[in-house]
Amino acid sequence: MKKEKRFEKVYQQSGGFTGAAIEIYMDKQTGVNYVYFQNGYGGGLTPLLDSEGKVVVTPVNGSNQDIDFYK
C-alpha cells in the first residue's frame, strides 16, 4: 500500500553562484507552510510567518490544488 506524501513543495528559489536554496513546503494535513533554507552543509526549517507574525496556513479543502500562492 502506497502512502500519500504529507508535504508538498510549493515554492523553490536558488541563489545562483552562492548555492543557497530557499524552499517552501505545505503540510497537506494541516495547511501550515514551512520555509527551508540551505547553504552549503547547513540548513534550517521554520514555520513561515506573515507580516503580523502569524503562521501562514493554506486552506486544505482541496480547492487550492491549481493555485500558485507564491508567484
Side-chain angles (χ1 to χ4, degrees):
M1 186 166 143
K2 185 177 179 181
K3 284 188 172 182
E4 185 177 330
K5 292 183 179 182
R6 180 169 177 168
F7 295 92
E8 176 182 353
K9 186 189 310 184
V10 294
Y11 179 81
Q12 180 175 354
Q13 175 181 324
S14 63
F17 293 111
T18 65
I22 299 172
E23 299 172 344
I24 298 177
Y25 290 88
M26 181 189 69
D27 182 335
K28 294 195 289 187
Q29 290 183 8
T30 64
V32 174
N33 287 246
Y34 297 90
V35 175
Y36 173 70
F37 176 81
Q38 179 199 0
N39 191 4
Y41 295 110
L45 181 74
T46 187
L48 179 64
L49 304 178
D50 66 11
S51 62
E52 297 176 356
K54 297 179 183 176
V55 176
V56 174
V57 179
T58 302
V60 234
N61 58 13
S63 64
N64 61 350
Q65 296 295 329
D66 299 323
I67 299 172
D68 184 2
F69 293 96
Y70 303 100
K71 281 191 173 184

